[in-house]
Amino acid sequence: MKIIKFGGSSVANPTNIKKVFEILHQRSKEGEVAVVFSAFGGVTEVLLKSAEKAKLGDKSYVEDIKLLEDKHFEVVKSMIPVKLQSPVLTYIKLRFNELEDLFHGIFLIKECSARTLDYVGSFGERLSAYILSELLRLEGFPAIYLDAREVVRTNDRFGNAKVDFSITNDLIQDFFHQNPGLKVITGFIASTAKGETTTLGRSGSDYTAAIFASALQATSLEIWTDVSGVMTSDPRMVYTAFTIPQLSYAEAMELSHFGAKVIFPATMQPAMKKGIPIYIKNTFEPENEGTLINNDAPNGKIIKGISSMSGISLLNVEGAGLIEVVGVSRRVFGALADAGVNVILISQASSEHSICVAIRTTEAGLAKEAIEREFIYEIRNGEMDPVAVVSEMAVVAAVGENMKHNPGASGRMFQALGRNNVNVFAIAQGSSELNISAVVSQADLQKALNALHEAFFLSDNKVLHLFLVGVGLIGKALIKMIANQREKLQRENDLDIQIHGIANSRFMAFHEDGFDLKNCPAPEDAPEAEAMDLEKFLHQMELMNFSNTVFVDCTASQDVADAYERILEAKVAIVTPNKKANSSSLEKYRQLKKLAYKRGVKFLYETNVAAGLPVINTLQDLMLSGDKVIRIEAVLSGSMNYIFSEFEKGLPFSEVVRQAKDKGYTEPDPRDDLSGMDVGRKILILGREAEQELHFEDISIQSMVPEDCVETKDVEEFFEKLKSHDKDFEAILEEAKSKGEKMRFMATLENGKAKVGLNSLDSSHPFYQLKGSDNMILFTTERYHDFPMIIRGPGAGADVTAAGVFADVIRLGNFSR
Ligand SMILES: NC(=O)c1ccc[n+]([C@@H]2O[C@H](COP(=O)([O-])OP(=O)(O)OC[C@H]3O[C@@H](n4cnc5c(N)ncnc54)[C@H](O)[C@@H]3O)[C@@H](O)[C@H]2O)c1
Ligand SMILES: N[C@@H](CCO)C(=O)O
Ligand code: NA
């Protein structure tokens, strides 16, 4: 015998009911079944609300009841042939006549006792199970309607009656013995020995099913609902949540206690006691395996699920007067119990200095008052502080039997929370080691759940959540590269990269699940694109509050760089080719590094100098290993090297500058390159990385921008004006040529002094050979003393730069989790 229970959503309308029949056809082929039904979706709520209305003298209950009647009529009219409808419609009509009288009575005497309410509530199941039994007969099942009030005996605690199992079991067994056929049973309702109608409380229909399963020693109990079993976490908050295939009873209890409201623990009790396996299945996705709850749930993962609870407040009872005083906790919890406050989590450290309890925020005022009343004298005497209440809290809990005697679960949990900047306000774990609970702020809940979910379930796959500002040349190339490499990274590096925010200077857009990177839209073309506003962008990033969030700045904007402090402060990592932050004041540069360290996040900027060439990382390694930089000589501008090496071939200077821009080597504004500013910033950054106290003012820079080109209204006008100087540049070129030399735009740093400018070099100089967008950096250090360390290669361009940014992002993957 198998007991199968369908919830309200499974029988909410004819379409769904047909799905239920398919399932029953299939199941009854496998052996004997009995079926328990809830009321049609939403019916019980309306009944109870209408009773309340009638009690308050609100006549609109009449229409509510009429609508309910129609709803039931409609099912019959659309599913039963006209000729056969009459007896069923009569049955429904009679029930609604009864209901009308009942409600009229409530309306007149303005009173509705718990007893009456149970009677009102019984109509939903009585109607649904009766109609469904008739429908099932038409479907060819030997269906027998069973009003559970005939066999389920309870005490008279109306609203939440206690079952008398010894009588109930006998009655059920007798009924089944004497009535062969498919029993179609009303969930939720029962009766007292005197024949009064009672109900079984929350999730009462599940309970009914478990009672029958237990009485009949069923081989299994199936609960059919509208979700595919118990999930690893709340799927509305954790998009990667998945169905847990198997749970022990204890785990199911722990999980359902919090967020996962698929089953209500008490309802499992009768089935659990007999060791009857419970399946949670989805009527709308019957092929999904769902969740099996039984005694021998295999323990693969350390935990089974992560549940959560919102709307929590923390109460802190604290004071010197508590230490080593016996009975304080009895008084705290006694006061809470007397006030009817349900305690959700308790934590007391061994210093005994404070007791902390988590309760529902709706009860916080009541609780504070109750405790302060109890300790009125202690508080007055200063032995205890007034009760502190912190609201807007949530509880997250990791649940699983495998945590038992298995060190590391709590380590992983708190590491994941800490790394993602989730502050933990209180912690509780009992010695059953089945559940570790932490109280976090409500604002951090989603991030906490995702961080934990990733840490425990996707530990084989770290996810970086990117927010990319500056979808220009570099930004676009970066997106393309990530799209192309994503699968390989997932497969071979256990790393996934998602982009949730994109922006250029005009527009920004967000995507909760991450943009489709293979077809990533420009910010202005994305659905729900809005005007770019950095403040709003950051706010949205903070709201989405992902674990392992990375801010990628591919602009050359000072404003964006100015936001780094705030971003790091929020424990969000930064990757950027933008030099503006590191080349601003020395204090700012140091402050950012300090902040990143303090907050435990990375600030990576390899592409600040020489694009993807490993210059910054190399220099940092030299410094960390104790080397000292004596001199740096470098060609640090891809565009300037391109310009002066191509210029030799005979094209006009202005033309070559335009080519450099078209090839994507220059800064967004090429004057930044020609003026030496860009190189100045780079040598400044290298100097600072070499631990020198370098200020921008310390650098002498030779600008190559003719004076009348400095103040042009835009880049186009600049190019126009530059043409008139082509002759001057040719003269410089001729002079170098005449000496057999080449022009290189260089930077040098020695003795705390940096110089940037154009040099004419003969063939003995290593820079003489440079071509195209090449950069070359010579580090003379204490260790690399006689011969410098040399790094050389293309130092500008979309691909080599985006690749460097990408490498920094991947590097973050190694630090994250
Ligand atoms: N091009 C290269 O070879 C190279 C090499 C190394 C480093 N970089 C650096 O990379 C960065 C980007 O260079 P690019 O060549 O891609 O420039 P780009 O002009 O093609 O792109 C810059 C993007 O940033 C956007 N932007 C500018 N200000 C913004 C703001 N305040 N808010 C939002 N978006 C803003 C622009 O709309 C544009 O989409 C620069 O910092 C540059 O120095 C470039
Ligand atoms: N515009 C720079 C590239 C960014 O660093 C260059 O030409 O080297
Ligand atoms: Na670099």
Side-chain angles (χ1 to χ4, degrees), residues 466 468 470-486 499 501-503 515-523 554 802 806:
L466 268 50
L468 170 61
V471 186
L473 185 74
I474 308 298
K476 278 186 205 141
L478 175 66
I479 294 175
K480 213 185 245 166
M481 272 179 202
I482 298 176
N484 287 338
Q485 286 306 105
R486 197 167 168 207
I499 302 183
I502 49 175
F515 287 99
D516 171 5
L517 297 183
K518 291 240 162 155
N519 304 293
C520 191
C554 285
F806 192 15

PDB file of all heavy atoms in Angstrom, residues 466 468 470-486 499 501-503 515-523 554 802 806:
ATOM      1  N   LEU A 466      31.421  39.479 -11.986  1.00  0.00           N
ATOM      2  CA  LEU A 466      32.056  40.705 -12.448  1.00  0.00           C
ATOM      3  C   LEU A 466      31.066  41.848 -12.706  1.00  0.00           C
ATOM      4  O   LEU A 466      29.952  41.614 -13.178  1.00  0.00           O
ATOM      5  CB  LEU A 466      32.810  40.429 -13.763  1.00  0.00           C
ATOM      6  CG  LEU A 466      34.285  40.026 -13.660  1.00  0.00           C
ATOM      7  CD1 LEU A 466      34.488  38.895 -12.678  1.00  0.00           C
ATOM      8  CD2 LEU A 466      34.847  39.678 -15.029  1.00  0.00           C
ATOM      9  N   LEU A 468      31.535  45.302 -14.852  1.00  0.00           N
ATOM     10  CA  LEU A 468      32.507  45.891 -15.774  1.00  0.00           C
ATOM     11  C   LEU A 468      32.102  47.305 -16.182  1.00  0.00           C
ATOM     12  O   LEU A 468      31.082  47.496 -16.842  1.00  0.00           O
ATOM     13  CB  LEU A 468      32.627  44.997 -17.013  1.00  0.00           C
ATOM     14  CG  LEU A 468      33.408  45.528 -18.207  1.00  0.00           C
ATOM     15  CD1 LEU A 468      34.860  45.811 -17.836  1.00  0.00           C
ATOM     16  CD2 LEU A 468      33.361  44.524 -19.359  1.00  0.00           C
ATOM     17  N   GLY A 470      33.216  50.468 -18.414  1.00  0.00           N
ATOM     18  CA  GLY A 470      34.131  50.787 -19.507  1.00  0.00           C
ATOM     19  C   GLY A 470      34.122  49.691 -20.551  1.00  0.00           C
ATOM     20  O   GLY A 470      35.086  48.954 -20.691  1.00  0.00           O
ATOM     21  N   VAL A 471      32.994  49.576 -21.264  1.00  0.00           N
ATOM     22  CA  VAL A 471      32.937  48.582 -22.332  1.00  0.00           C
ATOM     23  C   VAL A 471      33.389  49.275 -23.618  1.00  0.00           C
ATOM     24  O   VAL A 471      32.608  49.543 -24.518  1.00  0.00           O
ATOM     25  CB  VAL A 471      31.519  47.983 -22.475  1.00  0.00           C
ATOM     26  CG1 VAL A 471      31.534  46.851 -23.487  1.00  0.00           C
ATOM     27  CG2 VAL A 471      31.043  47.458 -21.131  1.00  0.00           C
ATOM     28  N   GLY A 472      34.670  49.645 -23.674  1.00  0.00           N
ATOM     29  CA  GLY A 472      35.253  50.260 -24.865  1.00  0.00           C
ATOM     30  C   GLY A 472      36.103  49.224 -25.569  1.00  0.00           C
ATOM     31  O   GLY A 472      35.765  48.029 -25.598  1.00  0.00           O
ATOM     32  N   LEU A 473      37.226  49.674 -26.079  1.00  0.00           N
ATOM     33  CA  LEU A 473      38.107  48.767 -26.817  1.00  0.00           C
ATOM     34  C   LEU A 473      38.529  47.575 -25.943  1.00  0.00           C
ATOM     35  O   LEU A 473      38.344  46.417 -26.303  1.00  0.00           O
ATOM     36  CB  LEU A 473      39.338  49.562 -27.277  1.00  0.00           C
ATOM     37  CG  LEU A 473      40.309  48.816 -28.156  1.00  0.00           C
ATOM     38  CD1 LEU A 473      39.732  48.651 -29.548  1.00  0.00           C
ATOM     39  CD2 LEU A 473      41.639  49.576 -28.213  1.00  0.00           C
ATOM     40  N   ILE A 474      39.088  47.886 -24.787  1.00  0.00           N
ATOM     41  CA  ILE A 474      39.602  46.833 -23.903  1.00  0.00           C
ATOM     42  C   ILE A 474      38.448  46.030 -23.302  1.00  0.00           C
ATOM     43  O   ILE A 474      38.477  44.799 -23.260  1.00  0.00           O
ATOM     44  CB  ILE A 474      40.447  47.444 -22.759  1.00  0.00           C
ATOM     45  CG1 ILE A 474      41.529  48.375 -23.301  1.00  0.00           C
ATOM     46  CG2 ILE A 474      41.046  46.349 -21.893  1.00  0.00           C
ATOM     47  CD1 ILE A 474      42.541  47.741 -24.179  1.00  0.00           C
ATOM     48  N   GLY A 475      37.424  46.736 -22.835  1.00  0.00           N
ATOM     49  CA  GLY A 475      36.286  46.069 -22.196  1.00  0.00           C
ATOM     50  C   GLY A 475      35.643  45.046 -23.122  1.00  0.00           C
ATOM     51  O   GLY A 475      35.361  43.913 -22.728  1.00  0.00           O
ATOM     52  N   LYS A 476      35.430  45.458 -24.383  1.00  0.00           N
ATOM     53  CA  LYS A 476      34.796  44.537 -25.339  1.00  0.00           C
ATOM     54  C   LYS A 476      35.688  43.325 -25.596  1.00  0.00           C
ATOM     55  O   LYS A 476      35.194  42.191 -25.661  1.00  0.00           O
ATOM     56  CB  LYS A 476      34.553  45.262 -26.670  1.00  0.00           C
ATOM     57  CG  LYS A 476      33.289  46.088 -26.672  1.00  0.00           C
ATOM     58  CD  LYS A 476      33.052  46.659 -28.074  1.00  0.00           C
ATOM     59  CE  LYS A 476      32.213  47.920 -27.943  1.00  0.00           C
ATOM     60  NZ  LYS A 476      32.612  48.983 -28.852  1.00  0.00           N
ATOM     61  N   ALA A 477      36.988  43.591 -25.762  1.00  0.00           N
ATOM     62  CA  ALA A 477      37.904  42.475 -26.025  1.00  0.00           C
ATOM     63  C   ALA A 477      37.912  41.514 -24.839  1.00  0.00           C
ATOM     64  O   ALA A 477      37.970  40.289 -25.009  1.00  0.00           O
ATOM     65  CB  ALA A 477      39.308  43.008 -26.288  1.00  0.00           C
ATOM     66  N   LEU A 478      37.800  42.069 -23.631  1.00  0.00           N
ATOM     67  CA  LEU A 478      37.788  41.239 -22.428  1.00  0.00           C
ATOM     68  C   LEU A 478      36.556  40.323 -22.414  1.00  0.00           C
ATOM     69  O   LEU A 478      36.663  39.119 -22.145  1.00  0.00           O
ATOM     70  CB  LEU A 478      37.804  42.133 -21.183  1.00  0.00           C
ATOM     71  CG  LEU A 478      37.678  41.399 -19.851  1.00  0.00           C
ATOM     72  CD1 LEU A 478      38.902  40.526 -19.589  1.00  0.00           C
ATOM     73  CD2 LEU A 478      37.485  42.384 -18.685  1.00  0.00           C
ATOM     74  N   ILE A 479      35.399  40.902 -22.711  1.00  0.00           N
ATOM     75  CA  ILE A 479      34.163  40.098 -22.701  1.00  0.00           C
ATOM     76  C   ILE A 479      34.293  38.948 -23.703  1.00  0.00           C
ATOM     77  O   ILE A 479      33.945  37.803 -23.409  1.00  0.00           O
ATOM     78  CB  ILE A 479      32.939  40.974 -23.056  1.00  0.00           C
ATOM     79  CG1 ILE A 479      32.697  42.008 -21.953  1.00  0.00           C
ATOM     80  CG2 ILE A 479      31.693  40.110 -23.243  1.00  0.00           C
ATOM     81  CD1 ILE A 479      31.594  43.003 -22.266  1.00  0.00           C
ATOM     82  N   LYS A 480      34.829  39.265 -24.874  1.00  0.00           N
ATOM     83  CA  LYS A 480      34.973  38.232 -25.903  1.00  0.00           C
ATOM     84  C   LYS A 480      35.894  37.115 -25.417  1.00  0.00           C
ATOM     85  O   LYS A 480      35.594  35.930 -25.581  1.00  0.00           O
ATOM     86  CB  LYS A 480      35.547  38.886 -27.164  1.00  0.00           C
ATOM     87  CG  LYS A 480      35.033  38.232 -28.436  1.00  0.00           C
ATOM     88  CD  LYS A 480      35.695  38.820 -29.642  1.00  0.00           C
ATOM     89  CE  LYS A 480      34.697  39.558 -30.538  1.00  0.00           C
ATOM     90  NZ  LYS A 480      35.385  40.399 -31.526  1.00  0.00           N
ATOM     91  N   MET A 481      36.985  37.499 -24.785  1.00  0.00           N
ATOM     92  CA  MET A 481      37.935  36.482 -24.308  1.00  0.00           C
ATOM     93  C   MET A 481      37.309  35.598 -23.241  1.00  0.00           C
ATOM     94  O   MET A 481      37.483  34.381 -23.247  1.00  0.00           O
ATOM     95  CB  MET A 481      39.160  37.162 -23.694  1.00  0.00           C
ATOM     96  CG  MET A 481      40.214  37.445 -24.707  1.00  0.00           C
ATOM     97  SD  MET A 481      41.600  38.264 -23.911  1.00  0.00           S
ATOM     98  CE  MET A 481      42.288  39.033 -25.365  1.00  0.00           C
ATOM     99  N   ILE A 482      36.588  36.219 -22.327  1.00  0.00           N
ATOM    100  CA  ILE A 482      35.957  35.418 -21.265  1.00  0.00           C
ATOM    101  C   ILE A 482      34.967  34.446 -21.897  1.00  0.00           C
ATOM    102  O   ILE A 482      34.929  33.262 -21.560  1.00  0.00           O
ATOM    103  CB  ILE A 482      35.253  36.319 -20.221  1.00  0.00           C
ATOM    104  CG1 ILE A 482      36.273  37.221 -19.528  1.00  0.00           C
ATOM    105  CG2 ILE A 482      34.521  35.467 -19.196  1.00  0.00           C
ATOM    106  CD1 ILE A 482      35.663  38.213 -18.547  1.00  0.00           C
ATOM    107  N   ALA A 483      34.174  34.958 -22.861  1.00  0.00           N
ATOM    108  CA  ALA A 483      33.184  34.098 -23.521  1.00  0.00           C
ATOM    109  C   ALA A 483      33.873  32.885 -24.149  1.00  0.00           C
ATOM    110  O   ALA A 483      33.399  31.756 -24.026  1.00  0.00           O
ATOM    111  CB  ALA A 483      32.419  34.887 -24.571  1.00  0.00           C
ATOM    112  N   ASN A 484      35.006  33.125 -24.794  1.00  0.00           N
ATOM    113  CA  ASN A 484      35.683  32.029 -25.487  1.00  0.00           C
ATOM    114  C   ASN A 484      36.325  31.022 -24.543  1.00  0.00           C
ATOM    115  O   ASN A 484      36.434  29.850 -24.871  1.00  0.00           O
ATOM    116  CB  ASN A 484      36.779  32.579 -26.413  1.00  0.00           C
ATOM    117  CG  ASN A 484      36.162  33.241 -27.621  1.00  0.00           C
ATOM    118  OD1 ASN A 484      35.018  32.950 -27.981  1.00  0.00           O
ATOM    119  ND2 ASN A 484      36.892  34.156 -28.237  1.00  0.00           N
ATOM    120  N   GLN A 485      36.759  31.490 -23.386  1.00  0.00           N
ATOM    121  CA  GLN A 485      37.516  30.608 -22.487  1.00  0.00           C
ATOM    122  C   GLN A 485      36.672  30.012 -21.373  1.00  0.00           C
ATOM    123  O   GLN A 485      37.165  29.205 -20.586  1.00  0.00           O
ATOM    124  CB  GLN A 485      38.665  31.394 -21.848  1.00  0.00           C
ATOM    125  CG  GLN A 485      39.813  31.686 -22.765  1.00  0.00           C
ATOM    126  CD  GLN A 485      40.360  30.438 -23.405  1.00  0.00           C
ATOM    127  OE1 GLN A 485      40.116  30.194 -24.589  1.00  0.00           O
ATOM    128  NE2 GLN A 485      41.074  29.627 -22.639  1.00  0.00           N
ATOM    129  N   ARG A 486      35.414  30.460 -21.292  1.00  0.00           N
ATOM    130  CA  ARG A 486      34.628  30.142 -20.109  1.00  0.00           C
ATOM    131  C   ARG A 486      34.513  28.638 -19.859  1.00  0.00           C
ATOM    132  O   ARG A 486      34.734  28.159 -18.736  1.00  0.00           O
ATOM    133  CB  ARG A 486      33.245  30.762 -20.267  1.00  0.00           C
ATOM    134  CG  ARG A 486      32.519  30.842 -18.974  1.00  0.00           C
ATOM    135  CD  ARG A 486      31.317  31.725 -19.105  1.00  0.00           C
ATOM    136  NE  ARG A 486      30.486  31.554 -17.935  1.00  0.00           N
ATOM    137  CZ  ARG A 486      29.183  31.741 -17.928  1.00  0.00           C
ATOM    138  NH1 ARG A 486      28.567  32.129 -19.018  1.00  0.00           N
ATOM    139  NH2 ARG A 486      28.501  31.552 -16.826  1.00  0.00           N
ATOM    140  N   ILE A 499      29.286  37.973 -15.770  1.00  0.00           N
ATOM    141  CA  ILE A 499      29.272  39.437 -15.758  1.00  0.00           C
ATOM    142  C   ILE A 499      27.843  39.897 -15.492  1.00  0.00           C
ATOM    143  O   ILE A 499      26.933  39.592 -16.249  1.00  0.00           O
ATOM    144  CB  ILE A 499      29.797  40.014 -17.083  1.00  0.00           C
ATOM    145  CG1 ILE A 499      31.228  39.506 -17.334  1.00  0.00           C
ATOM    146  CG2 ILE A 499      29.773  41.533 -17.049  1.00  0.00           C
ATOM    147  CD1 ILE A 499      31.889  40.072 -18.584  1.00  0.00           C
ATOM    148  N   GLY A 501      27.075  43.283 -14.470  1.00  0.00           N
ATOM    149  CA  GLY A 501      26.853  44.711 -14.709  1.00  0.00           C
ATOM    150  C   GLY A 501      27.798  45.179 -15.795  1.00  0.00           C
ATOM    151  O   GLY A 501      28.966  44.778 -15.810  1.00  0.00           O
ATOM    152  N   ILE A 502      27.291  45.992 -16.732  1.00  0.00           N
ATOM    153  CA  ILE A 502      28.151  46.561 -17.763  1.00  0.00           C
ATOM    154  C   ILE A 502      27.808  48.043 -17.903  1.00  0.00           C
ATOM    155  O   ILE A 502      26.656  48.433 -17.690  1.00  0.00           O
ATOM    156  CB  ILE A 502      27.963  45.865 -19.142  1.00  0.00           C
ATOM    157  CG1 ILE A 502      26.473  45.761 -19.502  1.00  0.00           C
ATOM    158  CG2 ILE A 502      28.616  44.501 -19.166  1.00  0.00           C
ATOM    159  CD1 ILE A 502      26.214  45.191 -20.888  1.00  0.00           C
ATOM    160  N   ALA A 503      28.820  48.858 -18.237  1.00  0.00           N
ATOM    161  CA  ALA A 503      28.544  50.292 -18.407  1.00  0.00           C
ATOM    162  C   ALA A 503      29.584  50.916 -19.310  1.00  0.00           C
ATOM    163  O   ALA A 503      30.744  50.492 -19.341  1.00  0.00           O
ATOM    164  CB  ALA A 503      28.569  50.991 -17.047  1.00  0.00           C
ATOM    165  N   PHE A 515      25.100  38.140 -17.945  1.00  0.00           N
ATOM    166  CA  PHE A 515      24.813  38.322 -19.365  1.00  0.00           C
ATOM    167  C   PHE A 515      25.276  37.094 -20.137  1.00  0.00           C
ATOM    168  O   PHE A 515      26.212  36.400 -19.743  1.00  0.00           O
ATOM    169  CB  PHE A 515      25.538  39.559 -19.899  1.00  0.00           C
ATOM    170  CG  PHE A 515      24.926  40.843 -19.424  1.00  0.00           C
ATOM    171  CD1 PHE A 515      25.469  41.547 -18.355  1.00  0.00           C
ATOM    172  CD2 PHE A 515      23.797  41.356 -20.046  1.00  0.00           C
ATOM    173  CE1 PHE A 515      24.899  42.726 -17.903  1.00  0.00           C
ATOM    174  CE2 PHE A 515      23.218  42.537 -19.614  1.00  0.00           C
ATOM    175  CZ  PHE A 515      23.767  43.220 -18.538  1.00  0.00           C
ATOM    176  N   ASP A 516      24.596  36.853 -21.254  1.00  0.00           N
ATOM    177  CA  ASP A 516      25.035  35.816 -22.183  1.00  0.00           C
ATOM    178  C   ASP A 516      26.289  36.362 -22.863  1.00  0.00           C
ATOM    179  O   ASP A 516      26.213  37.238 -23.723  1.00  0.00           O
ATOM    180  CB  ASP A 516      23.923  35.557 -23.206  1.00  0.00           C
ATOM    181  CG  ASP A 516      24.391  34.648 -24.329  1.00  0.00           C
ATOM    182  OD1 ASP A 516      25.543  34.157 -24.254  1.00  0.00           O
ATOM    183  OD2 ASP A 516      23.615  34.433 -25.273  1.00  0.00           O
ATOM    184  N   LEU A 517      27.455  35.862 -22.479  1.00  0.00           N
ATOM    185  CA  LEU A 517      28.695  36.500 -22.908  1.00  0.00           C
ATOM    186  C   LEU A 517      28.970  36.303 -24.391  1.00  0.00           C
ATOM    187  O   LEU A 517      29.624  37.118 -25.028  1.00  0.00           O
ATOM    188  CB  LEU A 517      29.863  35.987 -22.067  1.00  0.00           C
ATOM    189  CG  LEU A 517      29.750  36.331 -20.574  1.00  0.00           C
ATOM    190  CD1 LEU A 517      30.980  35.863 -19.824  1.00  0.00           C
ATOM    191  CD2 LEU A 517      29.547  37.826 -20.366  1.00  0.00           C
ATOM    192  N   LYS A 518      28.463  35.229 -24.954  1.00  0.00           N
ATOM    193  CA  LYS A 518      28.688  35.005 -26.386  1.00  0.00           C
ATOM    194  C   LYS A 518      27.915  36.038 -27.204  1.00  0.00           C
ATOM    195  O   LYS A 518      28.277  36.314 -28.350  1.00  0.00           O
ATOM    196  CB  LYS A 518      28.257  33.584 -26.771  1.00  0.00           C
ATOM    197  CG  LYS A 518      29.170  32.523 -26.184  1.00  0.00           C
ATOM    198  CD  LYS A 518      29.824  31.694 -27.260  1.00  0.00           C
ATOM    199  CE  LYS A 518      30.969  31.017 -26.685  1.00  0.00           C
ATOM    200  NZ  LYS A 518      31.674  29.995 -26.872  1.00  0.00           N
ATOM    201  N   ASN A 519      26.825  36.545 -26.659  1.00  0.00           N
ATOM    202  CA  ASN A 519      26.054  37.566 -27.375  1.00  0.00           C
ATOM    203  C   ASN A 519      25.838  38.763 -26.467  1.00  0.00           C
ATOM    204  O   ASN A 519      24.729  39.270 -26.345  1.00  0.00           O
ATOM    205  CB  ASN A 519      24.683  37.014 -27.789  1.00  0.00           C
ATOM    206  CG  ASN A 519      24.819  35.766 -28.613  1.00  0.00           C
ATOM    207  OD1 ASN A 519      25.316  35.821 -29.724  1.00  0.00           O
ATOM    208  ND2 ASN A 519      24.411  34.633 -28.061  1.00  0.00           N
ATOM    209  N   CYS A 520      26.903  39.175 -25.814  1.00  0.00           N
ATOM    210  CA  CYS A 520      26.728  40.239 -24.817  1.00  0.00           C
ATOM    211  C   CYS A 520      26.388  41.561 -25.519  1.00  0.00           C
ATOM    212  O   CYS A 520      27.099  41.998 -26.421  1.00  0.00           O
ATOM    213  CB  CYS A 520      28.003  40.394 -23.997  1.00  0.00           C
ATOM    214  SG  CYS A 520      27.754  41.456 -22.575  1.00  0.00           S
ATOM    215  N   PRO A 521      25.284  42.196 -25.121  1.00  0.00           N
ATOM    216  CA  PRO A 521      24.902  43.446 -25.774  1.00  0.00           C
ATOM    217  C   PRO A 521      25.812  44.583 -25.322  1.00  0.00           C
ATOM    218  O   PRO A 521      26.474  44.488 -24.289  1.00  0.00           O
ATOM    219  CB  PRO A 521      23.481  43.682 -25.263  1.00  0.00           C
ATOM    220  CG  PRO A 521      23.442  43.003 -23.935  1.00  0.00           C
ATOM    221  CD  PRO A 521      24.378  41.821 -24.032  1.00  0.00           C
ATOM    222  N   ALA A 522      25.863  45.653 -26.120  1.00  0.00           N
ATOM    223  CA  ALA A 522      26.490  46.882 -25.641  1.00  0.00           C
ATOM    224  C   ALA A 522      25.579  47.427 -24.545  1.00  0.00           C
ATOM    225  O   ALA A 522      24.379  47.148 -24.561  1.00  0.00           O
ATOM    226  CB  ALA A 522      26.605  47.875 -26.779  1.00  0.00           C
ATOM    227  N   PRO A 523      26.126  48.182 -23.586  1.00  0.00           N
ATOM    228  CA  PRO A 523      25.278  48.656 -22.489  1.00  0.00           C
ATOM    229  C   PRO A 523      23.997  49.337 -22.988  1.00  0.00           C
ATOM    230  O   PRO A 523      22.924  49.143 -22.423  1.00  0.00           O
ATOM    231  CB  PRO A 523      26.186  49.633 -21.742  1.00  0.00           C
ATOM    232  CG  PRO A 523      27.565  49.153 -22.023  1.00  0.00           C
ATOM    233  CD  PRO A 523      27.542  48.577 -23.408  1.00  0.00           C
ATOM    234  N   CYS A 554      37.581  49.371 -16.883  1.00  0.00           N
ATOM    235  CA  CYS A 554      38.289  49.503 -18.165  1.00  0.00           C
ATOM    236  C   CYS A 554      38.042  50.881 -18.762  1.00  0.00           C
ATOM    237  O   CYS A 554      37.867  51.033 -19.968  1.00  0.00           O
ATOM    238  CB  CYS A 554      37.857  48.412 -19.143  1.00  0.00           C
ATOM    239  SG  CYS A 554      38.552  46.811 -18.756  1.00  0.00           S
ATOM    240  N   ALA A 802      43.609  43.315 -22.943  1.00  0.00           N
ATOM    241  CA  ALA A 802      42.486  42.545 -22.387  1.00  0.00           C
ATOM    242  C   ALA A 802      43.000  41.230 -21.799  1.00  0.00           C
ATOM    243  O   ALA A 802      42.526  40.799 -20.740  1.00  0.00           O
ATOM    244  CB  ALA A 802      41.444  42.292 -23.465  1.00  0.00           C
ATOM    245  N   PHE A 806      42.358  39.953 -18.120  1.00  0.00           N
ATOM    246  CA  PHE A 806      41.764  38.621 -17.942  1.00  0.00           C
ATOM    247  C   PHE A 806      42.638  37.777 -17.003  1.00  0.00           C
ATOM    248  O   PHE A 806      42.136  37.107 -16.088  1.00  0.00           O
ATOM    249  CB  PHE A 806      41.644  37.970 -19.321  1.00  0.00           C
ATOM    250  CG  PHE A 806      40.804  36.727 -19.368  1.00  0.00           C
ATOM    251  CD1 PHE A 806      39.948  36.379 -18.320  1.00  0.00           C
ATOM    252  CD2 PHE A 806      40.840  35.891 -20.481  1.00  0.00           C
ATOM    253  CE1 PHE A 806      39.171  35.238 -18.377  1.00  0.00           C
ATOM    254  CE2 PHE A 806      40.069  34.742 -20.547  1.00  0.00           C
ATOM    255  CZ  PHE A 806      39.238  34.413 -19.500  1.00  0.00           C
TER     256      PHE A 806
END
